[in-house]
Each structure stands twice: as structure tokens, then as C-alpha cells.
Amino acid sequence: MTSKTQAVPLATPLALNRSAWPRRLKGLVLPVLILLVLEVVVRVGWLPSYQMPAPSEIALTLTDLAEGALWKHVSASLGRVVLGFVIGASLALVFAAWVGLSREAEAYLEPTFAGLRSIPSLAWVPLLLLWLGIDETSKIVLIAIGAFFPVYLNGVAAIRDIDRKLVEVGQMYGFSRRRLVRRILLPAALPGLFTGLRSGLSLAWMFLVAAELIAATKGLGYLLSDGRETSRPDIVLAAIIVLALLGKVSDGLLAALEKRCLAWRDTFQGAGQ
Amino acid sequence: MSVRALLDIHVARKRFADTTVLKDVRLALQPREAVSLLGPSGCGKSTLLRIVAGLEQDFQGELRRPDGEVAFVFQEPRLMPWLTVEQNIGFSDDNHYDRAWVTQLIEEVGLKGFAQALPKALSGGMAQRVAIARGLYSRPQVLLLDEPFSAVDAFTRMKLQDLLLQLAEHHAIALLLVTHDVDEALYLSDRVLVMDNRPSSIRQALAVELPHPRDRRDPRLAQLKALSLTALQQAHVI
């Protein structure tokens, strides 16, 4: 047994180390190639630079923005996403727990949620603008709606996927419902909850852009539409790059948290370490 | 016989939907006694065990459980994969479990050095040892076991059977075991109760009056095996 648990973790890193770097480099080949080709194509004049700015020009715009207004836009967008996501995801977790744990609640709530879910979320935009105006509230609500459904759906599925046999162990000990939730249901549902939170977060970014494109005076979506209106594709592309980075970083944070919380699932931790 | 019995059960009738699974089953367990329920799959022996454990409450009849604890070891280890071996053993006391007692149990089931291991790192036999230790944690008077060794290989099974006997002896625990392994039933128990097909009842009770430790090659065990096979045949189980 000991030889087995020791042999496995030893064998994997060795195999990974050899291929990890080349693989990462392979992943860079295509983007770098595209950037180089674009640079050349624009410089030579095959593509008009007022439509497709050269990558170097975009980099310059980005540094310009970074010295000026970029942080204002980033913090506005980040604030909206965080607030909208927190509200939407928290509500979704509450309802998912309720529907997941109680058949009664499911019978009452699930049909309504199924109906609401079938509305494409962007269809809410005009209504939200009418009801809540064009200021912050409507944007936050839209982002919250976007984040709600993936978290809710995955949450309910996560709870319903819990192995009945584990729950029975708690029943055997006469656990109260609360204790059952805290000791068994929550940890067992955690993998599914993380899946939901991560897809909810990516939808929150999507709805942020939608909300800011429609009506905003700051934020990355505003930067996008501002770039379009002033015919500055470099600004548009710079905003897209910042959005991609923010999306990647925020997802990375959740992924790191997931990895930490779910170490029991992913990794082989050898005996007695 | 049931004057000082630890556990006393009479199931007049237990049904699932339209099928009667158990009919007029009486069972009493004396302190430190080991009893096996032997019968075909689906005959209701696991249901009987679950009734005793309190997991199944919808039945007609009477159940008198001991004042002390009753613990259950399932067919699968059913360890919480997110908890370490130590935390799994002390599971019933959340995070303030008795560390010294858990450490002692880990040693008793032969898993010294694995206290911090996660269930993923354990073999099937080791995981079942943890499950047994978890069962013993609450210092039960009765340990209920539902085909506890059916998922491990034959050699591991023999080792686990010896471990179980040793622990039951050491901690003065009565065992009620469900199995469909005739050898296991005879090796472990003082009484073997043969159940028949549904609606099942106890068809025959065989006393195994052999002292412990027993020798698996003991010809008397072979004789008893022949007897129980006859009983199973008469019950149309085999």
C-alpha cells in the first residue's frame, strides 16, 4: 500500500515537468504568430489602420489609458460585477438550497424558475431600464439575473447528486437537519456549487458588458462604445483585452479557491503527510 | 431467553409498497453475542438490520434497543471523502472529537500513520477498517454490520473478520451481522439465523458452539456448513 501511495505522486510530476513547458510554449505559438502577421499586414498597408490598428499601436493606447482613465473604468466595472455577482449568486445559493433540500419547495418554485429561465436574460434590459432607470441599479440587477441561473441550476443539481448513502450515515447518527446540511450536504455539494459559481461569474462579465454598452458614463463597456463612436478601434481592442484579462483573473481566483477547497477530490495526498 | 437481552425485535410485518418483505420475525441479541443473518439477496435481512438501526421506521412490530449506543457498519465504507481518516472516525462529534480515543482506534484497526490520510488514498480494505473504527468510536454495545466484507477480496476478508472478532471481544460488543457468505457466518457467530425468501422469516437457527479463536479448517465448521446449506436448500434459497 505504502509503495503505491508513494509511487503515484512521484511518477506524475516527472512526466508533467517534461511536457509542461513545451506545451505552454506551443499554446503561445498561434497568438504570437497572429500578432506578428497583423503587425506586418497593417504596417505594409494591406489593412487600413483606422479599421485594424497594429498590435503595437494597441499596446501604446493601453499604456496611455493606464496612465489616465483606465483605472476609473476598471474599478467601475469591477465594482458592478462583484456587487451583481454577489447578489445574484447569494440569492441563487439560497434558492438552490431550498429547492434542492425540500421536495415541497421544488414543487412550488421549480416551475416558476424554469419559466423565468426560458426568458433570454437580455430581454429584461428594456424592462429594467423602464423600472429602474439608467443608473447603477438596473446594471447591478441585470448582472445579478445573469449570474443567478447558472449558480441556481448547478446548485440544485449538486444537492440532488449527493450520494444518498453518505446522507444515511448522518441519519444513522441522528443528525439534525442543520447538522446534516453542515456536515454532509454542503461539503458533498461543493464541487457542483463551484462549477455553478464559475459559470455564473463568466455570465456576470457578459451581462456587465451588455449593461454598460446600453447606458453608462464609465466602465469598460462604456470604453467599448466610446471607442466605436469616436472611431478608435484601438480603444475598443484595448478594452476587450482588459475585459479578457479581468475575466481570466477573476475566474483564476475562483479556480484557486476551488482547488483549495476540493483538494480531497483532485489530489492524491500521500499517507501521513 | 429474552429476559436480559440487549436488543429485542419483533417485526410483525414490513412491506414495501405491495410486497411484504418481512413477516413475523423475532430476534433477541444477548450481550457480547454474535449473530448472523444468512439469506438470499432481497430477502429482507438488510431491511431487518436497518429497522434495528432506526433507519427504517415504517414497520409493524416492536423494537427495544439498548440504552447505550448502536453503531452501523455499511456494506461500503461510506467515508466522507473530504475528511481525513481521523476526522471520519470522530465524525459523530463534529470537530471536537476525542483525539486520544481516535488515535487508539486507529492503532487498533491497524492503520497507524494514516490518521491524516484522505479516503482517496486508502484501499478498499483500509477504508473498511476506518468504517469499523468509526462504528466503534461511539463505544456501542451493539454493532450492526450489513455485508461489511462483501466488497473486499477473500484474503482481506479473512483478516477483517479476525479484526472484527478481536475488537468485539476487546470492547465487549455484541454483533449482528448480515451476510450471504456461509463460511463468514459460521466463523464469526454464536448463532446463525437462516432466512427464507420473501415474505421472509427466520427459517432455522443454528447454534455454533465452538470456542474462539476458531480454526477455519475445523471439521466441525464444515459439518455446520453442511447443515446450513441443507437449511438454505429447504428454504429454497439455493
Side-chain angles (χ1 to χ4, degrees):
Chain A
M1 190 69 262
T2 21
S3 68
K4 182 184 162 195
T5 45
Q6 279 169 1
V8 173
L10 272 178
T12 17
L14 271 177
L16 276 177
N17 277 343
R18 233 182 308 144
S19 64
W21 267 109
R23 180 170 294 174
R24 205 166 278 190
L25 289 179
K26 278 177 197 162
L28 281 173
V29 169
L30 194 58
V32 169
L33 204 67
I34 291 175
L35 286 179
L36 283 177
V37 169
L38 270 177
E39 186 77 36
V40 171
V41 161
V42 177
R43 289 272 164 111
V44 170
W46 290 345
L47 267 179
S49 65
Y50 64 86
Q51 278 190 337
M52 181 63 228
S56 56
E57 203 181 320
I58 299 171
L60 274 178
T61 311
L62 208 52
T63 42
D64 273 355
L65 281 171
E67 281 160 14
L70 184 62
W71 306 114
K72 184 183 79 177
H73 297 304
V74 167
S75 61
S77 290
L78 207 56
R80 286 168 185 149
V81 163
V82 168
L83 194 59
F85 175 70
V86 166
I87 294 172
S90 317
L91 280 175
L93 287 177
V94 169
F95 278 107
W98 198 7
V99 170
L101 293 175
S102 149
R103 292 218 160 268
E104 190 83 349
E106 186 188 18
Y108 278 109
L109 296 175
E110 181 51 29
T112 308
F113 280 134
L116 288 175
R117 201 169 62 236
S118 61
I119 302 169
S121 307
L122 289 179
W124 292 105
V125 171
L127 208 56
L128 291 177
L129 291 177
L130 277 177
W131 284 347
L132 303 168
I134 55 165
D135 60 355
E136 289 301 295
T137 325
S138 60
K139 295 184 187 63
I140 306 280
V141 171
L142 185 66
I143 295 167
I145 292 177
F148 182 88
F149 283 108
V151 179
Y152 168 78
L153 281 178
N154 281 291
V156 174
I159 293 171
R160 288 294 161 87
D161 276 351
I162 295 174
D163 192 351
R164 184 185 54 80
K165 291 174 174 168
L166 289 186
V167 180
E168 231 172 49
V169 174
Q171 286 166 342
M172 177 64 218
Y173 287 124
F175 277 11
S176 65
R177 204 166 170 75
R178 252 184 95 139
R179 202 157 159 217
L180 206 62
V181 168
R182 190 167 52 81
R183 294 284 284 154
I184 299 179
L185 300 179
L186 188 65
L190 216 51
L193 291 182
F194 266 109
T195 311
L197 286 175
R198 285 178 69 180
S199 48
L201 186 62
S202 78
L203 272 189
W205 280 106
M206 192 161 113
F207 282 81
L208 167 89
V209 174
E212 288 183 344
L213 274 177
I214 291 158
T217 52
K218 57 183 185 210
L220 292 164
Y222 164 77
L223 209 57
L224 287 171
S225 69
D226 188 49
R228 181 184 63 82
E229 280 163 15
T230 55
S231 298
R232 291 279 306 273
D234 53 330
I235 292 186
V236 175
L237 285 164
I240 288 177
I241 290 168
V242 174
L243 278 169
L245 285 176
L246 285 173
K248 180 69 191 159
V249 168
S250 57
D251 184 60
L253 286 177
L254 263 187
L257 187 68
E258 180 181 22
K259 204 173 170 191
R260 225 182 110 109
C261 292
L262 303 181
W264 52 269
R265 192 183 57 155
D266 293 342
T267 56
F268 232 113
Q269 292 193 342
Q273 283 166 14
Chain B
M1 168 162 137
S2 58
V3 185
R4 281 175 48 79
L6 249 188
L7 189 134
D8 219 327
I9 180 153
H10 174 218
V11 180
R13 187 183 290 271
K14 163 71 194 170
R15 44 170 69 219
F16 285 118
D18 292 332
T19 14
T20 304
V21 187
L22 294 168
K23 200 178 164 192
D24 200 26
V25 176
R26 277 173 199 278
L27 172 66
L29 195 64
Q30 309 299 321
R32 313 191 70 148
E33 191 185 25
V35 173
S36 286
L37 296 166
L38 190 62
S41 308
C43 78
K45 52 195 192 315
S46 291
T47 308
L48 182 59
L49 208 61
R50 292 167 58 86
I51 289 175
V52 176
L55 285 169
E56 200 76 64
Q57 291 181 340
D58 173 31
F59 71 100
Q60 291 169 25
E62 269 180 278
L63 167 66
R64 198 180 56 74
R65 301 217 319 182
D67 303 327
E69 289 284 333
V70 174
F72 202 112
V73 175
F74 297 93
Q75 187 172 359
E76 324 77 15
R78 301 199 187 183
L79 305 179
M80 304 300 145
W82 53 88
L83 298 179
T84 62
V85 164
E86 194 177 67
Q87 290 166 326
N88 262 298
I89 294 174
F91 185 69
S92 57
D93 274 346
D94 291 356
N95 290 324
H96 34 268
Y97 51 86
D98 181 346
R99 275 165 205 282
W101 176 225
V102 168
T103 310
Q104 188 191 329
L105 284 172
I106 289 176
E107 273 176 40
E108 282 182 18
V109 297
L111 286 178
K112 198 171 175 190
F114 285 90
Q116 300 305 322
L118 286 169
K120 253 204 114 151
L122 305 177
S123 69
M126 290 162 85
Q128 200 59 306
R129 284 169 190 259
V130 178
I132 292 172
R134 179 176 66 186
L136 296 180
Y137 176 80
S138 56
R139 303 178 196 271
Q141 285 181 289
V142 179
L143 192 59
L144 309 170
L145 303 106
D146 188 1
E147 298 182 26
F149 311 131
S150 61
V152 296
D153 64 90
F155 302 120
T156 310
R157 188 178 311 152
M158 289 186 198
K159 275 191 182 170
L160 288 175
Q161 286 165 353
D162 288 330
L163 175 72
L164 179 65
L165 284 176
Q166 192 188 321
L167 289 169
E169 168 74 28
H170 183 210
H171 296 287
I173 300 171
L175 303 176
L176 181 57
L177 175 98
V178 159
T179 181
H180 39 223
D181 179 342
V182 181
D183 295 312
E184 178 170 274
L186 294 171
Y187 184 68
L188 292 178
S189 0
D190 303 312
R191 274 190 297 147
V192 175
L193 307 176
V194 179
M195 296 179 75
D196 51 11
N197 275 312
R198 49 173 72 170
S200 47
S201 52
I202 293 166
R203 175 93 184 195
Q204 195 168 345
L206 276 169
V208 187
E209 283 159 342
L210 299 175
H212 285 284
R214 292 174 183 168
D215 186 338
R216 291 178 198 275
R217 292 158 298 188
D218 192 329
R220 285 172 295 178
L221 279 177
Q223 278 171 10
L224 283 164
K225 183 174 182 180
L227 271 178
S228 22
L229 287 175
T230 312
L232 286 165
Q233 209 157 25
Q234 282 166 352
H236 302 291
V237 172
I238 49 174

